[in-house]
Amino acid sequence: SAVISQKPSRDICQRGTSLTIQCQVDSQVTMMFWYRQQPGQSLTLIATANQGSEATYESGFVIDKFPISRPNLTFSTLTVSNMSPEDSSIYLCSVFGQGTGELFFGEGSRLTVL
Amino acid sequence: LAKTTQPISMDSYEGQEVNITCSHNNIATNDYITWYQQFPSQGPRFIIQGYKTKVTNEVASLFIPADRKSSTLSLPRVSLSDTAVYYCLVGSFTSGTYKYIFGTGTRLKVLA
């Protein structure tokens, strides 16, 4: 299994500002995934973050808007830049369990942009 | 990437068996089928995973026909606490990265 901690759990931000979300895992993992879940919607994969290389972004997401850092095998950050109300969502960090295809999720960071 | 299709919502009563079917017509040979459960304000939680035939664990069963173009999650004797959104995922290995794409999910409501 994997235990994932995210900070902040929730925040209210002003339009035009940026917020960095932190994800800490209790074990070393190669790949970390960032998802977004807009209100009442399913999860959308933003990017895959591998330690030691640039993140791979999914269609519709760009590095300038969602820069990701992956400084070591247990930690990653996602920044939501120049926020607008459309960025109001829950952002979730996830990793695969060791040797399994099971994806573990943090509790998410609920972001509200005014 | 294999796309999944599920019913948007389902209602059931306590004690009944619930079957949620997912279509994944373009599933690749190496893909596994995984189901997740999500409660409000929580991250999704793994329920069960399979490749073919039938898989059973302490909470659910997963039925996968020979052509693997669909799968059915079976929840025996549901309770009110099983009210949640259930996602069917097909794992895709693309460009050396194994990743999951979530579909729309099925919103299950269990009634007393």
Side-chain angles (χ1 to χ4, degrees):
Chain A
S1 66
V3 177
I4 302 172
S5 302
Q6 285 187 235
K7 291 181 181 179
S9 58
R10 60 178 61 228
D11 207 341
I12 299 173
C13 303
Q14 297 299 317
R15 182 196 300 258
T17 63
S18 298
L19 179 76
T20 296
I21 301 167
Q22 299 178 3
C23 177
Q24 179 75 51
V25 187
D26 69 341
S27 58
Q28 293 184 338
V29 293
T30 304
M31 292 186 288
M32 297 178 76
F33 304 90
W34 287 98
Y35 287 85
R36 179 176 75 180
Q37 188 169 31
Q38 295 176 304
Q41 303 296 312
S42 178
L43 285 77
T44 301
L45 181 63
I46 297 173
T48 302
N50 291 338
Q51 197 272 333
S53 62
E54 282 199 11
T56 303
Y57 290 83
E58 297 299 308
S59 176
F61 297 95
V62 294
I63 188 171
D64 289 346
K65 176 68 175 177
F66 298 101
I68 290 171
S69 78
R70 184 78 204 274
N72 57 53
L73 290 172
T74 64
F75 187 79
S76 178
T77 66
L78 170 76
T79 298
V80 186
S81 303
N82 188 24
M83 289 183 286
S84 67
E86 292 71 35
D87 294 319
S88 297
S89 293
I90 299 172
Y91 293 84
L92 297 118
C93 170
S94 67
V95 302
F96 280 115
Q98 289 292 338
T100 75
E102 181 177 343
L103 203 57
F104 291 88
F105 286 84
E107 290 300 308
S109 298
R110 183 182 294 271
L111 180 60
T112 301
V113 184
L114 303 178
Chain B
L1 297 178
K3 181 180 177 180
T4 60
T5 303
Q6 311 173 226
I8 296 296
S9 65
M10 295 179 69
D11 288 345
S12 182
Y13 288 93
E14 280 190 294
Q16 288 189 333
E17 178 184 77
V18 171
N19 295 309
I20 306 174
T21 297
C22 177
S23 296
H24 27 79
N25 292 319
N26 298 322
I27 189 169
T29 303
N30 295 328
D31 285 343
Y32 277 73
I33 300 154
T34 312
W35 286 79
Y36 283 82
Q37 175 191 55
Q38 186 180 29
F39 297 112
S41 301
Q42 294 186 23
R45 186 182 70 169
F46 174 91
I47 301 174
I48 196 166
Q49 183 180 75
Y51 183 80
K52 62 181 179 181
T53 64
K54 177 183 175 182
V55 179
T56 298
N57 62 22
E58 62 276 9
V59 297
S61 294
L62 178 59
F63 299 92
I64 305 169
D67 66 5
R68 305 200 327 122
K69 294 184 183 299
S70 67
S71 60
T72 299
L73 174 72
S74 181
L75 304 172
R77 298 179 299 283
V78 295
S79 64
L80 295 175
S81 62
D82 292 317
T83 294
V85 180
Y86 292 82
Y87 293 99
C88 164
L89 280 69
V90 175
S92 178
F93 193 83
T94 305
S95 301
T97 298
Y98 198 82
K99 60 184 178 183
Y100 286 142
I101 303 298
F102 281 73
T104 57
T106 298
R107 196 171 296 270
L108 173 66
K109 188 174 186 179
V110 179
L111 307 169

